[in-house]
Amino acid sequence: MTESIQKLYQISLKEKRKIIGLMSGTSFDGLDIALCEISGNGKNTQLQLLNFTTYPYTLDFRRELSSVISKKNIDMPLLCKMNASIGINHGIMVNNMLDKWGISNNEIDIIASHGQTVFHAPATLFNHEINSTLQLGDGDHIAIQTGIITISDFRQKHIAAGGEGAPLATFGDYLLFADNKKDRILLNIGGIANFTFIPSNADFKNVISTDTGPGNTLMDQLIRHKYSDKLYDNNAEIALKGKVNEQLFSTLFDHPFFLQPFPKTTGPELFNINFIQSCIEKSNTINIPFEDIMATLNKLTSTSICKAIDFYINESTDYEILISGGGIHNPLLMKSIQTHFGENHIKKFEELNFNPNAKEALLFAVLANEMIAGNKEIFEEGTKAMPNVSMGKISFPD
């Protein structure tokens, strides 16, 4: 047994493990870094969030990312370079935050890195014979930069076992947030919106996770297309000045994705600036105010989310919706969702002692914990959408 493998084995036996979860989403505005202390595994998993930050990307780094993300035609040498560059930069960011927090790298057991999705291609959307996805940010570079064992590239095993590679939040949502008394919907509004539906006292086989369509991605992309100095519609200031154009909304919502059966996945490969422009032309709304387009995109996100959740809760009255992701900072979007379901059904993550901004990063920390310390019993009856496999590839720093 080599020294590195022996160290990993010893980590798996520890009562508590310090795991850093890293997440960079489709908005690629920065790296979410969540320092977690995790004990147990499976349904006995206990997680405490010790520190969290979103480490902002530089403008130059965002520009490089935008040149390869969700593009059908790209510069291959740049794509190759970015696989290393993302890993190196993420490793440096971890080092900087640990130094700021006054924590030695030797105190950290594992880094769980999601990487940066550059293209997500479900077979049903691209008429392929197999599902595929690609995340950049090589785990070996993170491990070398930090000196910490790194687990990365979680989505490939999910696809190899028959899934679409997303959403992966299902596993962590079930382990951390299942409730014996109420149905729970764990809604995450990132670039793409997705949720996990956990019926009360449910076995894992009864849990459903699906994308609903665009979250912030269309609104963010349109803002960045128009303004060189803005990343998003801060506090929905622009959308709140506009009015929904029903003709444009109808054309946007007429996309075949919204008619596909659940569960399903998607990404900015489909919902992007070209999609917006084609719908504007098709609906003959070229001359409507920019504010109206933003208000209409906001409605598209809220409507697709609400209709998807309605499909699963059916006649249930005893449910609660916990919302995370960047969308929680969009007051117009949140108001639409709260109005649809009623404020009594909306519960804040803070009431569970969790930071909603950290949720995706900490869920990858949970996946890493299951890989090294868990067992398959809790997921024995996996499904095609949620196959019973451990996920992630291990990179040693030596």
Side-chain angles (χ1 to χ4, degrees):
M1 183 181 294
T2 67
E3 185 176 335
S4 294
I5 294 175
Q6 188 174 34
K7 181 179 179 181
L8 186 64
Y9 175 68
Q10 291 170 346
I11 291 171
S12 73
L13 298 178
K14 293 177 71 171
E15 183 178 342
K16 294 182 178 180
R17 291 165 285 278
K18 286 186 178 178
I19 302 179
I20 291 178
L22 305 180
M23 179 68 195
S24 181
T26 52
S27 61
F28 54 91
D29 53 349
L31 178 67
D32 290 344
I33 305 176
L35 173 57
C36 309
E37 185 172 78
I38 304 179
S39 61
N41 59 75
K43 279 192 170 182
N44 296 318
T45 301
Q46 297 291 320
L47 184 147
Q48 181 182 2
L49 181 63
L50 303 179
N51 277 300
F52 173 75
T53 192
T54 298
Y55 198 116
Y57 290 150
T58 65
L59 180 59
D60 287 343
F61 192 59
R62 288 203 307 270
R63 284 173 176 164
E64 284 195 313
L65 287 174
S66 67
S67 66
V68 298
I69 290 177
S70 305
K71 300 288 193 300
K72 289 187 178 180
N73 299 301
I74 57 175
D75 181 337
M76 285 302 295
L78 177 60
L79 180 71
C80 188
K81 170 206 167 187
M82 291 305 293
N83 189 35
S85 179
I86 293 169
I88 292 169
N89 275 279
H90 285 184
I92 292 171
M93 291 173 182
V94 169
N95 287 338
N96 290 343
M97 288 315 303
L98 287 175
D99 184 60
K100 183 176 180 178
W101 292 334
I103 299 171
S104 167
N105 289 41
N106 292 331
E107 296 178 54
I108 306 302
D109 295 305
I110 297 289
I111 292 174
S113 174
H114 168 267
Q116 180 68 58
T117 297
V118 293
F119 210 91
H120 183 64
T124 53
L125 288 182
F126 290 89
N127 198 27
H128 293 168
E129 65 277 9
I130 57 173
N131 296 313
S132 58
T133 191
L134 180 62
Q135 285 72 44
L136 298 186
D138 189 83
D140 286 342
H141 286 285
I142 298 174
I144 291 293
Q145 287 292 323
T146 62
I148 301 168
I149 296 172
T150 299
I151 300 176
S152 63
D153 207 16
F154 291 89
R155 298 188 184 275
Q156 296 302 330
K157 179 71 76 65
H158 191 270
I159 285 179
E164 288 192 358
L168 296 190
T170 315
F171 301 89
D173 283 342
Y174 177 67
L175 297 182
L176 294 180
F177 304 116
D179 189 85
N180 291 330
K181 298 178 180 179
K182 285 188 176 183
D183 297 342
R184 271 187 174 165
I185 296 95
L186 287 303
L187 170 62
N188 185 74
I189 310 175
I192 298 299
N194 60 74
F195 69 84
T196 302
F197 173 58
I198 311 175
S200 60
N201 203 28
D203 291 328
F204 183 67
K205 64 182 178 182
N206 301 122
V207 176
I208 299 293
S209 191
T210 183
D211 287 349
T212 66
N216 306 308
T217 188
L218 292 180
M219 295 181 283
D220 289 353
Q221 288 190 55
L222 191 61
I223 288 292
R224 293 172 182 179
H225 183 72
K226 186 174 179 62
Y227 301 103
S228 61
D229 60 339
K230 294 182 185 292
L231 294 176
Y232 55 90
D233 185 8
N234 188 37
N235 292 320
E237 291 173 354
I238 297 173
L240 283 167
K241 295 176 183 176
K243 296 180 180 179
V244 173
N245 183 290
E246 295 297 340
Q247 190 172 338
L248 175 58
F249 172 78
S250 178
T251 303
L252 291 163
F253 202 51
D254 192 44
H255 192 280
F257 173 81
F258 297 112
L259 297 176
Q260 287 182 0
F262 300 106
K264 54 190 174 183
T265 65
T266 189
E269 298 78 15
L270 177 62
F271 293 110
N272 50 42
I273 194 71
N274 293 330
F275 169 72
I276 299 172
Q277 291 171 338
S278 66
C279 288
I280 289 173
E281 293 174 5
K282 187 176 179 181
S283 60
N284 195 27
T285 54
I286 296 174
N287 295 319
I288 69 172
F290 182 75
E291 293 83 356
D292 291 1
I293 301 175
M294 289 298 297
T296 305
L297 293 176
N298 200 294
K299 180 182 177 180
L300 177 68
T301 291
S302 63
T303 300
S304 55
I305 287 171
C306 293
K307 284 185 176 292
I309 293 176
D310 281 342
F311 179 83
Y312 283 103
I313 61 175
N314 295 316
E315 302 299 320
S316 173
T317 57
D318 195 16
Y319 66 89
E320 54 189 20
I321 302 173
L322 294 99
I323 309 177
S324 60
I328 64 175
H329 304 296
N330 187 308
L332 178 58
L333 183 58
M334 291 300 294
K335 182 179 179 181
S336 298
I337 295 171
Q338 289 171 347
T339 299
H340 183 87
F341 294 106
E343 290 190 16
N344 60 311
H345 287 298
I346 307 297
K347 185 172 183 177
K348 294 183 179 180
F349 261 101
E350 289 87 345
E351 295 179 45
L352 302 180
N353 296 317
F354 278 92
N355 182 337
N357 298 307
K359 179 171 173 284
E360 283 198 291
L362 65 84
L363 289 179
F364 280 94
V366 171
L367 284 180
N369 186 68
E370 284 300 306
M371 182 190 189
I372 62 171
N375 57 63
K376 298 175 71 175
E377 292 178 6
I378 192 70
F379 306 119
E380 213 164 82
E381 297 186 62
T383 65
K384 182 177 180 180
M386 294 176 289
N388 177 18
V389 290
S390 59
M391 289 172 279
K393 298 181 176 72
I394 302 171
S395 294
F396 294 109
D398 49 21

